[in-house]
Amino acid sequence: MLRTALVSGLNVLPTRPTRSTRRLGYTVAGGAAGTAMVYRNDFKQLEFDLASASGPLVRLFDVETSHKIGILAAKMGFFPKETRPDPACLRTTVWGREFPNPLGVAAGFDKDAEVIEPLLALGFGFVEVGSITPLPQPGNPKPRAFRLPEHGAVINRYGFNSEGADAARDRLAAFRQKQAAAAPGSFPAGLLGVNLGKNKLSEDAAADYITGVTKLSQFADYLVINISSPNTPGLRSLQGRKELETLVKSVKQTRDGMKWSGPLGPPPLLVKIAPDLTSDDMEDIAAVALAQGVDGLIVSNTTVTRPGPIAEDPVGKETGGLSGKPLFQMATEVLRQMYTLTGGKLPIIGVGGVASGEDAYAKIRAGASLVELYSAFAYEGPKLVPRVKRELAELLERDGFACVADAVGADHKVAVLAKAK
């Protein structure tokens, strides 16, 4: 009872017993996409299902308390550990770095780099921690996060609540030390992204991001400049052409001026953008990213709009950023446009409304090399992870793609072929 109660700090939805919880067994199916793993009826899947089964209990608490329970569950070792291998078709290489699969945890879940290892052990291909600010700050007044369960959505106005870069540095160093000391194959595979933010009262945004790079970049497989949260006053103005150009130049100069050893060099630098952008905004961001040598984009952050029925929901009137299913179409369309504007030259991490393998596949076909999720994980719990990977592998195989990389931007190629005819 304690195990399932703590794990369901992810705010999971109630689930019914499925065939996989009644019948046991494990099958592996081969196909054109390589080894298409089918998580079917085995003890390990039962463990994931049970870990996600007590949502109603934890959802008696508010969103933020539930989230803290989830972090505590991970710290105490109550998350299940994936031991089944990912299908070969899900392995992918981006920025010269090998990801066991393209599914990651978006920034916001592990704000202070507390539970990287348990999240990787769940089977995620990568974990992005943060946003981490240079100095500790409490964030906005509570309550500041709200569920819209009938819409599979969440509204938050956390405001970069963070324990600060020094606390994160200590945890990241400990994580890397443990990883380095582990026997081969005993530590969960997967990569680490570090998402950087600015302090609310800081008047020099560039200095804040430079501090983050100086203190944390040595631990990161990739770095993110988050300039798109709607909950820090003035932050989104950094997406303007001149502001972004100045910021990227300063941050890149700092990163490149540090000492880097090994064949991979410094961590790639990504910019996380908002979904609430005009066509001119997107063109400016694409132009700066290409001209200044940004290594990639994350598309997108939460939205301040209230699409469809969200506007009619009383909770929808709360201020803050909307995430979850209602964001999917908007974020995916911005992703599609950014892929076109950058000519497919910059790897993109697609995030916003991903709740299934089909959603992840749509992001990839629209131009994403990697995909992140958060809100659906909060609602469905650990069992979501193997399901999304299984569904994605099946879709790749169905359409004849040998690997994720072959499917990136596939919709654009289809459109070009159609136009040529």
Side-chain angles (χ1 to χ4, degrees):
M1 177 63 71
L2 175 62
R3 178 186 181 93
T4 54
L6 285 173
V7 171
S8 62
L10 297 171
N11 314 331
V12 294
L13 292 174
T15 59
R16 299 178 182 176
T18 64
R19 198 175 299 172
S20 63
T21 65
R22 294 193 297 265
R23 298 169 58 192
L24 304 176
Y26 177 64
T27 64
V28 177
T35 303
M37 179 173 56
V38 181
Y39 297 104
R40 189 183 295 168
N41 307 330
D42 69 317
F43 282 109
K44 180 55 65 173
Q45 187 56 40
L46 179 61
E47 183 181 354
F48 273 74
D49 289 344
L50 290 175
S52 303
S54 54
L57 176 61
V58 174
R59 281 168 44 234
L60 294 174
F61 298 97
D62 63 86
V63 176
E64 191 162 356
T65 300
S66 298
H67 181 260
K68 289 179 179 178
I69 294 173
I71 295 294
L72 178 62
K75 283 184 175 180
M76 295 178 68
F78 292 130
F79 274 16
K81 296 181 180 180
E82 183 59 87
T83 57
R84 298 164 294 188
D86 286 331
C89 66
L90 293 186
R91 290 198 294 268
T92 191
T93 300
V94 187
W95 307 298
R97 291 155 169 81
E98 296 183 3
F99 292 75
N101 66 72
L103 186 65
V105 185
F109 183 84
D110 189 6
K111 290 178 179 291
D112 293 304
E114 298 177 89
V115 290
I116 304 165
E117 184 181 349
L119 288 171
L120 291 176
L122 274 178
F124 283 107
F126 63 105
V127 172
E128 186 176 313
V129 299
S131 294
I132 299 167
T133 57
L135 299 175
Q137 63 179 25
N140 293 322
K142 301 176 182 179
R144 52 193 180 182
F146 310 89
R147 297 185 188 95
L148 296 92
E150 61 273 30
H151 305 294
V154 175
I155 292 173
N156 90 81
R157 51 173 180 264
Y158 281 114
F160 284 171
N161 52 310
S162 171
E163 293 183 14
D166 289 341
R169 180 177 55 191
D170 291 343
R171 294 190 183 108
L172 291 170
F175 168 78
R176 288 304 194 193
Q177 289 170 2
K178 184 176 181 180
Q179 185 182 47
S186 65
F187 201 84
L191 280 73
L192 170 64
V194 176
N195 186 302
L196 306 175
K198 69 174 286 291
N199 284 113
K200 181 177 181 178
L201 299 180
S202 174
E203 296 182 359
D204 189 341
D208 276 18
Y209 289 107
I210 287 171
T211 297
V213 170
T214 303
K215 292 187 175 184
L216 305 177
S217 60
Q218 62 182 305
F219 307 110
D221 291 307
Y222 69 86
L223 284 169
V224 183
I225 303 173
N226 184 357
I227 53 172
S228 51
S229 169
N231 302 316
T232 295
L235 187 70
R236 288 192 169 190
S237 66
L238 297 174
Q239 295 175 118
R241 186 165 189 149
K242 290 183 179 179
E243 293 83 357
L244 181 58
E245 184 174 46
T246 300
L247 177 62
V248 170
K249 279 183 178 179
S250 298
V251 172
K252 274 198 66 185
Q253 185 176 24
T254 300
R255 182 202 64 174
D256 295 344
M258 298 173 68
K259 292 183 179 180
W260 299 101
S261 59
L264 295 178
L269 181 66
L270 284 66
V271 175
K272 186 168 185 175
I273 65 174
D276 313 308
L277 297 170
T278 66
S279 296
D280 288 344
D281 292 335
M282 286 186 273
E283 289 177 7
D284 286 345
I285 290 170
V288 171
L290 290 171
Q292 298 302 319
V294 169
D295 297 298
L297 299 171
I298 299 184
V299 184
S300 68
N301 215 312
T302 58
T303 179
V304 295
T305 66
R306 298 294 183 261
I310 301 298
E312 307 300 323
D313 192 302
V315 179
K317 295 177 173 53
E318 295 286 350
T319 59
L322 173 72
S323 62
K325 291 181 180 180
L327 178 59
F328 178 79
Q329 292 297 338
M330 177 188 297
T332 305
E333 182 54 34
V334 174
L335 188 163
R336 191 182 309 279
Q337 294 187 50
M338 293 307 297
Y339 182 87
T340 298
L341 290 168
T342 58
K345 296 176 182 178
L346 298 182
I348 297 174
I349 299 179
V351 58
V354 174
S356 67
E358 184 177 3
D359 295 337
Y361 188 49
K363 298 275 190 189
I364 290 167
R365 290 188 64 104
S369 296
L370 301 166
V371 177
E372 292 179 337
L373 52 77
Y374 179 0
S375 296
F377 182 47
Y379 275 115
E380 193 166 336
K383 69 177 183 178
L384 176 70
V385 183
R387 177 171 68 80
V388 171
K389 292 192 293 182
R390 182 198 71 226
E391 292 170 352
L392 177 56
E394 290 171 350
L395 289 166
L396 290 168
E397 181 176 354
R398 182 198 68 187
D399 291 347
F401 293 113
C403 61
V404 171
D406 290 348
V408 174
D411 287 349
H412 300 268
K413 298 164 190 174
V414 170
V416 169
L417 289 173
K419 187 176 292 187
K421 292 179 181 179

